[in-house]
Amino acid sequence: MGYDFVLGGESHTVHPIHEPEGPNLRIDGQPLRAELVPGLARGEFFLEVDGRRERLFLASEGDVHFVHWRGRTHRVEAINALERARRAASAAGGTEVLRAPMPGTVVEVATRAGEDVVAGALLMTIESMKLQTAITSPRDARVAEVFVSPGATFDQGAELVRLESAEDEGEADPGDPGKGGQPG
Amino acid sequence: MMRRMESRIDPHSAAFERFREANLARVGEFRRRQQEARFERPQRDLDRLAHHGKNFVRDRIEQILDPGTPFLELSSLAANSEYEGQSRSASVVTGIGIVSGREVMIRADDPSIKAGAWYPLTVKKNVRCLDIAIENRLPVVHMCDSAGGFLPLQAEMFADRTSAGRIFRNQSILSKMGVPQLSLVFGHCTAGGAYIPSLSDYAVILRGNGGIFLGGPPLVKAATGEIVDADTLGGADVHTQVSGVADYAANSEEEAILLGREIVAQWSRPEKTTIEMREPEPPLHDPAELYGIIPDDIKIQFDMREVIARIVDGSYFHEYQPDYGKTLVCGYAYVWGHKVGILGNNGVLFNDSSLKGAHFIELCDKNRTPLVFLQNITGFMVGREYEAQGICKDGAKFIMTQSGASVPKFTIMINGSFGAGNYGMCGRAYDGRFIFSWPNHQIGIMGAEQAANTLADVKIRQLERAGQKLSEEDVRAIREPVIESYAIESSAYYATSHLWDDGIIDPVDTRNALGVAISASLGAPIEEPGYGVLRL
């Protein structure tokens, strides 16, 4: 499993390969031998590629790396290949129904149909077994429908909120609000 | 190879700020109490120590440890709720540190409190410290300076299976296992205490202050009429030149400690058990944000993934069954370079989450991957539907596999620990290698409010059967004292006072505490996996 490196808007796939001598990387399918040797200064490295030796400086913040080389700074983002595949699949968006993780009561509804929400936004608070749980949006989306109101009780798996992609026009889709959700 | 965890918290939200303030206050209170237990003593006790030319116990420990290495102190607030708070840290300091390049358990009597006399909880802490040494094959350095058992409470610490006799039994078992022990005798080792250096492989005794005897001078006089001073009876020269009870005499505490370091340097270093390792790296998400994640009210739920992201190396996590049994988060991560399987509560345990937990534990056990339990659990789900689905037998599967797992287990009490949830998630009874608690932790057979309501209901029905009618005020008078005592007895301080854990830690220190604990646990081999019968 490799990483994708995004540099100047272009994505390159890098795989480490294990041969005692010869190439140790495959970049977009092309084998290459590269060594990164730390220098004495903070962030200083020497990169040796095909017999050439280049001095560069590296600073990293998580998976975003800043490479200072020959007077210019390049931003390189490393994206785990599996993460990229998942993002590509979920970017398709579409509708998604959030269901009750356990039976309980609605304490508070913090959103309404038509609202655009970001990932992590509080949609509602429920209470079950004396514990209050926040129901949050798993992604950036538009709230299509809220199936329950404060005070309502529901079973495990009941529909709480339906999300759709924010780009969708949000045309009315009545769905099946009666199933599982109970009016307050 | 694993993916980074994303954080969903908003560090600029009002709730984050409110939680942060509440948790900083809790940690401040913990630090204040810890400082008090470690260093605050009545002046006359410190004067007496100086008069005898003795160093403070914590200075002795600092001098024997390799400079600049970590020391994981255990149960620093033991006995804080007992004996009117007099027995600070239960009058003994224990912890894991590095001496001459070897990981060792330190067990040091504290002579600044009642001349180092042992209280019942001192005995419990000593036994626990040697249990840890046995389970993890950790060599032990004893720093002996105790007047013996605190006589007014002797009945609580003498005769039972886990009473004082267990200390000497554990020392003998350690020796049988080939795990070395060193005693540095800085003060008196009287009666049972005399067995600590006697049962150690190596013993250094200090000229002047050091003394080892089964009966001290007053007891000898009472028993036989013989009048003898302590030094003649059991001082350094008698024991290193005549009796052979100790091996080396030292003229100062400094000399004894340096000699001790040289002795430890002679011990061979057995190979550690190998597990999956990688180069350690700090979490990507800031551990200080934990303060804003743990709510100020135990009734408010939070996502345990946010905690995991701030404990594990690089915030990398491979989540197992992310869409099944979602109230139990399971997955693999690294802590200070050690591969672990993590189980964390995200709500009450249902049938599916119990099965997921049991399955994941079996995977880790077969894969030789140590387990880390992050507790925030109200218990298993109740109700007709769940009983009919067999919540009892699914919970039993979780408890059975967890009890039977042979890989090292570690538990962090992140927040609540109630009911059988404590059991499934490797509470004290399940022989995890270490348990650490956060200051906000609460523990009990059920939550304070439920317990108070249950007790009040029983009482009210009793009185009503007897023909009494209760006013609202009467009901309150029954409930309130119950809630109050329940709140005290379910607090982290009460729990740690009674050694239900191995100490309270600041949440930001969790990764470091786990790192030392996991490393220590690899001193012992991991047995072959094997389980009891699961009710399928």
Side-chain angles (χ1 to χ4, degrees), chain B residues 460-500:
Chain B
I460 290 161
R461 251 177 291 144
Q462 270 174 2
L463 292 170
E464 280 176 354
R465 264 201 303 275
Q468 283 192 41
K469 196 96 184 89
L470 293 170
S471 68
E472 250 178 57
E473 208 167 301
D474 296 334
V475 172
R476 212 172 4 198
I478 293 171
R479 285 188 78 234
E480 273 172 10
V482 176
I483 290 194
E484 204 171 301
S485 75
Y486 210 95
I488 292 169
E489 290 178 5
S490 59
S491 78
Y493 293 104
Y494 189 87
T496 206
S497 182
H498 290 82
L499 287 115
W500 298 345

Coordinates of all heavy atoms in Angstrom, one line a residue, chain B residues 460-500:
Chain B
I460 N -39.0 3.5 51.2 CA -40.4 4.1 51.2 C -41.4 3.0 51.2 O -42.4 3.0 51.9 CB -40.5 5.0 49.9 CG1 -39.7 6.3 50.1 CG2 -42.0 5.4 49.7 CD1 -39.4 7.0 48.8
R461 N -41.2 2.0 50.4 CA -42.1 0.9 50.4 C -42.2 0.1 51.7 O -43.3 -0.2 52.2 CB -41.8 -0.1 49.2 CG -42.9 0.0 48.1 CD -42.5 -0.9 46.9 NE -41.4 -0.4 46.2 CZ -40.4 -1.2 45.7 NH1 -40.5 -2.5 45.8 NH2 -39.4 -0.6 45.1
Q462 N -41.0 0.0 52.3 CA -41.0 -0.7 53.7 C -41.9 0.1 54.6 O -42.7 -0.4 55.3 CB -39.6 -0.7 54.2 CG -38.8 -1.9 53.9 CD -37.3 -1.8 54.3 OE1 -37.0 -0.8 55.0 NE2 -36.5 -2.8 54.1
L463 N -41.6 1.5 54.6 CA -42.4 2.3 55.6 C -43.9 2.3 55.3 O -44.7 2.4 56.2 CB -41.8 3.7 55.6 CG -40.4 3.8 56.1 CD1 -39.8 5.2 55.8 CD2 -40.4 3.6 57.6
E464 N -44.2 2.3 54.0 CA -45.6 2.4 53.6 C -46.3 1.1 54.0 O -47.5 1.1 54.4 CB -45.7 2.6 52.1 CG -45.5 4.1 51.7 CD -45.6 4.4 50.2 OE1 -45.6 3.4 49.4 OE2 -45.6 5.6 49.9
R465 N -45.6 -0.1 53.8 CA -46.1 -1.3 54.3 C -46.4 -1.3 55.8 O -47.4 -1.9 56.2 CB -45.2 -2.5 54.0 CG -45.5 -3.2 52.7 CD -44.9 -4.6 52.6 NE -43.5 -4.6 52.8 CZ -42.6 -4.4 51.8 NH1 -43.0 -4.2 50.6 NH2 -41.3 -4.5 52.1
A466 N -45.6 -0.6 56.5 CA -45.8 -0.5 58.0 C -46.9 0.6 58.3 O -47.1 0.9 59.4 CB -44.5 -0.1 58.6
G467 N -47.5 1.1 57.2 CA -48.6 2.0 57.4 C -48.3 3.5 57.5 O -49.1 4.3 57.8
Q468 N -47.0 3.8 57.3 CA -46.6 5.2 57.3 C -46.8 5.9 56.0 O -46.6 5.3 55.0 CB -45.1 5.3 57.7 CG -44.9 5.1 59.2 CD -43.5 5.5 59.6 OE1 -43.0 6.5 59.1 NE2 -42.8 4.6 60.4
K469 N -47.2 7.1 56.1 CA -47.3 7.9 54.8 C -46.1 8.9 54.8 O -45.9 9.6 55.8 CB -48.6 8.7 54.8 CG -49.1 9.2 53.5 CD -50.0 8.2 52.8 CE -50.3 8.7 51.4 NZ -49.4 8.2 50.3
L470 N -45.4 9.0 53.7 CA -44.2 9.8 53.7 C -44.5 11.1 53.0 O -45.0 11.1 51.8 CB -43.1 9.1 53.1 CG -42.5 7.9 53.8 CD1 -41.6 7.1 53.0 CD2 -41.9 8.3 55.1
S471 N -44.1 12.2 53.5 CA -44.2 13.5 52.9 C -43.0 13.7 51.9 O -42.0 12.9 52.0 CB -44.1 14.7 53.9 OG -42.8 14.7 54.4
E472 N -43.1 14.6 51.0 CA -42.0 14.9 50.1 C -40.7 15.1 50.8 O -39.6 14.7 50.4 CB -42.3 16.1 49.2 CG -42.6 15.6 47.7 CD -42.9 16.8 46.9 OE1 -42.1 17.8 46.8 OE2 -44.0 16.8 46.3
E473 N -40.8 15.8 52.0 CA -39.6 16.1 52.8 C -39.0 14.9 53.3 O -37.8 14.8 53.3 CB -40.1 17.1 53.9 CG -39.0 18.0 54.4 CD -39.5 19.1 55.3 OE1 -40.4 19.8 54.8 OE2 -39.1 19.1 56.4
D474 N -39.8 13.9 53.8 CA -39.3 12.7 54.3 C -38.5 11.9 53.2 O -37.4 11.4 53.5 CB -40.5 11.8 54.7 CG -41.2 12.3 55.9 OD1 -40.6 13.1 56.7 OD2 -42.4 12.0 56.1
V475 N -39.1 12.0 52.0 CA -38.4 11.3 50.9 C -37.0 11.9 50.6 O -36.0 11.2 50.4 CB -39.3 11.3 49.6 CG1 -38.5 10.7 48.4 CG2 -40.5 10.5 49.8
R476 N -37.0 13.2 50.6 CA -35.7 13.9 50.4 C -34.7 13.6 51.5 O -33.6 13.4 51.2 CB -36.0 15.4 50.3 CG -35.0 16.1 49.4 CD -35.3 17.5 49.1 NE -36.4 17.8 50.0 CZ -37.2 18.8 49.9 NH1 -37.1 19.6 49.1 NH2 -38.2 19.0 50.7
A477 N -35.2 13.5 52.7 CA -34.3 13.2 53.9 C -33.8 11.8 53.7 O -32.7 11.5 54.2 CB -35.1 13.3 55.2
I478 N -34.5 10.9 53.0 CA -33.9 9.6 52.8 C -32.9 9.6 51.6 O -31.8 9.0 51.7 CB -35.1 8.6 52.5 CG1 -36.0 8.4 53.7 CG2 -34.5 7.2 52.0 CD1 -37.2 7.6 53.4
R479 N -33.2 10.3 50.6 CA -32.4 10.3 49.4 C -31.1 11.1 49.5 O -30.0 10.6 49.1 CB -33.2 11.0 48.2 CG -34.3 10.1 47.6 CD -34.8 10.7 46.3 NE -33.9 10.5 45.2 CZ -33.4 11.4 44.4 NH1 -33.8 12.7 44.7 NH2 -32.6 11.2 43.4
E480 N -31.1 12.2 50.2 CA -30.0 13.1 50.1 C -28.7 12.5 50.8 O -27.6 12.6 50.2 CB -30.3 14.5 50.7 CG -30.9 15.3 49.6 CD -31.4 16.7 50.0 OE1 -31.2 17.0 51.2 OE2 -32.0 17.4 49.2
P481 N -28.8 11.9 52.0 CA -27.6 11.3 52.5 C -27.1 10.2 51.7 O -25.8 10.0 51.6 CB -28.1 10.8 53.9 CG -29.4 11.3 54.1 CD -30.0 11.8 52.8
V482 N -28.0 9.5 51.0 CA -27.5 8.4 50.2 C -26.7 8.9 49.0 O -25.6 8.4 48.7 CB -28.8 7.6 49.6 CG1 -28.3 6.5 48.7 CG2 -29.5 6.9 50.8
I483 N -27.3 10.0 48.4 CA -26.6 10.6 47.2 C -25.2 11.1 47.7 O -24.2 10.9 47.0 CB -27.4 11.7 46.6 CG1 -28.6 11.1 45.9 CG2 -26.6 12.6 45.7 CD1 -29.3 12.1 45.0
E484 N -25.2 11.7 48.8 CA -23.9 12.3 49.3 C -22.8 11.3 49.6 O -21.7 11.4 49.1 CB -24.2 13.1 50.6 CG -23.2 14.2 50.9 CD -23.7 15.0 52.1 OE1 -24.8 15.6 52.0 OE2 -23.0 15.0 53.1
S485 N -23.2 10.2 50.3 CA -22.2 9.2 50.6 C -21.8 8.5 49.3 O -20.6 8.1 49.1 CB -22.6 8.2 51.7 OG -23.5 7.3 51.2
Y486 N -22.8 8.3 48.4 CA -22.5 7.6 47.2 C -21.5 8.4 46.3 O -20.6 7.9 45.7 CB -23.8 7.4 46.4 CG -23.8 6.1 45.6 CD1 -24.3 4.9 46.0 CD2 -23.2 6.2 44.3 CE1 -24.3 3.8 45.3 CE2 -23.2 5.0 43.5 CZ -23.7 3.8 44.0 OH -23.7 2.7 43.2
A487 N -21.7 9.7 46.3 CA -20.8 10.6 45.5 C -19.4 10.5 46.0 O -18.4 10.4 45.2 CB -21.3 12.0 45.6
I488 N -19.2 10.4 47.4 CA -17.9 10.3 47.9 C -17.3 8.9 47.5 O -16.2 8.8 47.0 CB -17.9 10.5 49.5 CG1 -18.2 11.9 49.8 CG2 -16.5 10.0 50.1 CD1 -18.5 12.1 51.3
E489 N -18.1 7.9 47.7 CA -17.5 6.5 47.6 C -17.4 6.2 46.1 O -16.8 5.1 45.8 CB -18.4 5.5 48.3 CG -18.2 5.7 49.8 CD -19.1 4.7 50.6 OE1 -19.8 3.9 50.0 OE2 -19.1 4.9 51.8
S490 N -18.0 6.9 45.2 CA -17.8 6.6 43.8 C -16.8 7.5 43.1 O -16.6 7.5 41.9 CB -19.1 6.7 43.0 OG -19.7 7.9 43.1
S491 N -16.1 8.4 43.9 CA -15.1 9.3 43.3 C -13.8 8.6 43.0 O -13.5 7.6 43.6 CB -14.9 10.5 44.2 OG -14.0 10.1 45.2
A492 N -13.0 9.2 42.1 CA -11.7 8.7 41.7 C -10.8 8.7 43.0 O -10.0 7.8 43.1 CB -11.1 9.6 40.6
Y493 N -11.0 9.6 43.9 CA -10.1 9.7 45.0 C -10.4 8.6 46.0 O -9.4 8.0 46.6 CB -10.3 11.1 45.7 CG -9.8 12.2 44.8 CD1 -10.6 13.0 44.2 CD2 -8.4 12.3 44.6 CE1 -10.2 14.0 43.3 CE2 -7.9 13.3 43.8 CZ -8.8 14.2 43.1 OH -8.3 15.1 42.3
Y494 N -11.6 8.2 46.2 CA -12.0 7.1 47.1 C -11.4 5.8 46.4 O -10.8 4.9 47.1 CB -13.5 7.0 47.3 CG -13.9 6.0 48.3 CD1 -14.0 6.4 49.6 CD2 -14.2 4.7 47.9 CE1 -14.4 5.4 50.6 CE2 -14.6 3.8 48.9 CZ -14.7 4.1 50.2 OH -15.0 3.2 51.2
A495 N -11.6 5.7 45.1 CA -11.2 4.5 44.4 C -9.6 4.3 44.5 O -9.2 3.2 44.9 CB -11.6 4.5 42.9
T496 N -8.9 5.4 44.3 CA -7.5 5.3 44.3 C -7.0 5.1 45.7 O -5.9 4.5 46.0 CB -6.8 6.4 43.6 OG1 -5.5 6.0 43.1 CG2 -6.7 7.7 44.5
S497 N -7.7 5.7 46.7 CA -7.3 5.5 48.1 C -7.3 4.0 48.5 O -6.5 3.6 49.3 CB -8.4 6.3 49.0 OG -8.0 6.2 50.3
H498 N -8.3 3.3 47.9 CA -8.4 1.8 48.3 C -7.7 0.9 47.3 O -7.9 -0.3 47.3 CB -9.9 1.5 48.4 CG -10.5 2.1 49.6 ND1 -11.0 3.4 49.6 CD2 -10.7 1.6 50.8 CE1 -11.4 3.7 50.8 NE2 -11.3 2.6 51.6
L499 N -6.8 1.5 46.4 CA -6.1 0.8 45.4 C -6.9 0.0 44.5 O -6.6 -1.2 44.1 CB -5.0 -0.1 46.1 CG -3.8 0.7 46.7 CD1 -3.8 0.7 48.2 CD2 -2.5 0.3 46.0
W500 N -8.1 0.5 44.1 CA -8.8 -0.1 43.0 C -8.2 0.2 41.7 O -8.6 -0.3 40.7 CB -10.3 0.4 43.0 CG -11.0 0.1 44.2 CD1 -10.7 -0.7 45.3 CD2 -12.3 0.7 44.7 NE1 -11.7 -0.7 46.2 CE2 -12.6 0.2 45.9 CE3 -13.1 1.7 44.1 CZ2 -13.8 0.5 46.6 CZ3 -14.3 2.0 44.7 CH2 -14.6 1.5 46.0

